[in-house]
Each structure stands twice: as structure tokens, then as C-alpha cells.
Amino acid sequence: MGDLRSAAVPELRDDDHVRGPAGAPLVILYGDFACPHCALAHARLAGVSLRLAFRHFALRARHPRAQALAHAAEAVALQDAFWPFHDALYEDPGRLADPHLWQRVADLGLDVERFDADRRSDAVAQRVARDVREAMRAGIVTTPTLVVGDVLHPGPPAPELLAALGRSG
């Protein structure tokens, strides 16, 4: 798949999940925690100094657990643990069923009862739905898709993109 331009990708939002140095190149990653290609993207991006923003492109039609995992991630985000949970999901993709999610939440020292209530909340569902709507408006059709500037890079990042990101930091 080639790179595509999109003028519809919104700017970084105050409520985006972002990590990395402020001066590093910004990459917005639209992903799905049940997607094996997203896990590969996670591994490839681990060695690059960048400012990474994660947004959900969780489509149940593609991966039956996608929305449940997105809701779980947003629920732990309400307890300030989005990135540790994000990393745990991608680093152990064989354990994405509900009992494993509760164990991850407990292992992170979070309130499991609050997690369970939050993952079922309207606010969490609306947050995930907003990310998916914005992805569709931007022309995103697959996970992962990395957005660098106004260019969409579908699929796991290629070595050339990783090298360019490494050089621009």
C-alpha cells in the first residue's frame, strides 16, 4: 500500500494519549489492540525517538475484540494508566480475553471495580466512537495507519519511514 495524503486529520487534542519528547517528530497512530499488524508497529516504533499519539480505529467487523479492548484502554486511561496498559496489550497479544484484562488492571494497581464501571460508560464509548469517526473522515481504512504531517502511512512502518523519523528528531 502506498502513502496517501489527508487534509482531514485533526490536530493534536488536549485529551489525546501522547508520549515522547515535545520536540520529537509527531506521529498519530490509528490502531486496534487486537490487530497483529499494530503489535508489529508498536515493536518497530519502540526504538525511535518520537512524539506518539494513539487513537482508536477499533472496528468489530475486523477484529471482534477491538471495541472491547479500546473501551478497556479508555477505562484505564481514566486512572492514568493508558500507556502501561497499551504496552502490555501489544507485548502479550495472546492474552486479550476479559479475565486477562482484569488481571492486567490489578497488576497495574488500579481499581478493578472502577475499571469495570468505566469501560461500560457512555463517555468511554463516545471517546472510542469519536476516534473511529475521525479516522474514517481522514481516509483511514486499515490498522495500523501512521499519520505524519498530512501523510497517511498504512500498515506497519517501513524501514524508510523509521529512518526518516529517526533523522528528523
Side-chain angles (χ1 to χ4, degrees), residues 41-64:
H42 169 76
R44 288 183 180 173
L45 292 171
V48 181
S49 177
L50 53 85
R51 187 166 170 82
L52 181 66
F54 183 92
R55 293 184 184 162
H56 303 282
F57 193 52
L59 301 176
R60 191 177 294 141
R62 293 248 174 102
H63 298 108

Side-chain angles (χ1 to χ4, degrees), residues 105-141:
V105 169
D107 290 348
L108 290 170
L110 305 177
D111 181 331
V112 177
E113 288 182 27
R114 178 179 171 195
F115 162 77
D116 190 40
D118 287 343
R119 76 185 184 99
R120 299 171 190 278
S121 73
D122 286 339
V124 160
Q126 289 171 11
R127 165 65 188 261
V128 172
R130 179 191 68 187
D131 282 359
V132 171
R133 269 191 319 274
E134 288 180 357
M136 290 179 173
R137 279 190 210 122
I140 292 167
V141 296

Side-chain angles (χ1 to χ4, degrees), residues 3-169:
D3 299 339
L4 308 167
R5 295 217 176 267
S6 173
V9 175
E11 297 292 318
L12 205 56
R13 300 182 303 244
D14 289 341
D15 67 345
D16 271 324
H17 305 294
V18 181
R19 70 174 166 191
L26 175 64
V27 174
I28 299 173
L29 188 150
Y30 282 89
D32 164 357
F33 292 110
C35 170
H37 299 289
C38 293
L40 177 58
H42 169 76
R44 288 183 180 173
L45 292 171
V48 181
S49 177
L50 53 85
R51 187 166 170 82
L52 181 66
F54 183 92
R55 293 184 184 162
H56 303 282
F57 193 52
L59 301 176
R60 191 177 294 141
R62 293 248 174 102
H63 298 108
R65 295 278 305 149
Q67 285 186 343
L69 293 168
H71 289 205
E74 287 305 317
V76 299
L78 294 173
Q79 296 187 54
D80 298 320
F82 177 83
W83 288 108
F85 192 76
H86 164 280
D87 294 345
L89 291 176
Y90 281 137
E91 290 165 8
D92 189 9
R95 297 175 194 255
L96 300 178
D98 282 353
H100 300 293
L101 297 183
W102 270 265
Q103 187 59 53
R104 287 182 204 281
V105 169
D107 290 348
L108 290 170
L110 305 177
D111 181 331
V112 177
E113 288 182 27
R114 178 179 171 195
F115 162 77
D116 190 40
D118 287 343
R119 76 185 184 99
R120 299 171 190 278
S121 73
D122 286 339
V124 160
Q126 289 171 11
R127 165 65 188 261
V128 172
R130 179 191 68 187
D131 282 359
V132 171
R133 269 191 319 274
E134 288 180 357
M136 290 179 173
R137 279 190 210 122
I140 292 167
V141 296
T142 191
T143 56
T145 294
L146 284 70
V147 182
V148 182
D150 66 346
V151 180
L152 306 179
H153 301 271
E160 300 79 19
L161 176 59
L162 294 171
L165 289 169
R167 282 194 300 272
S168 63

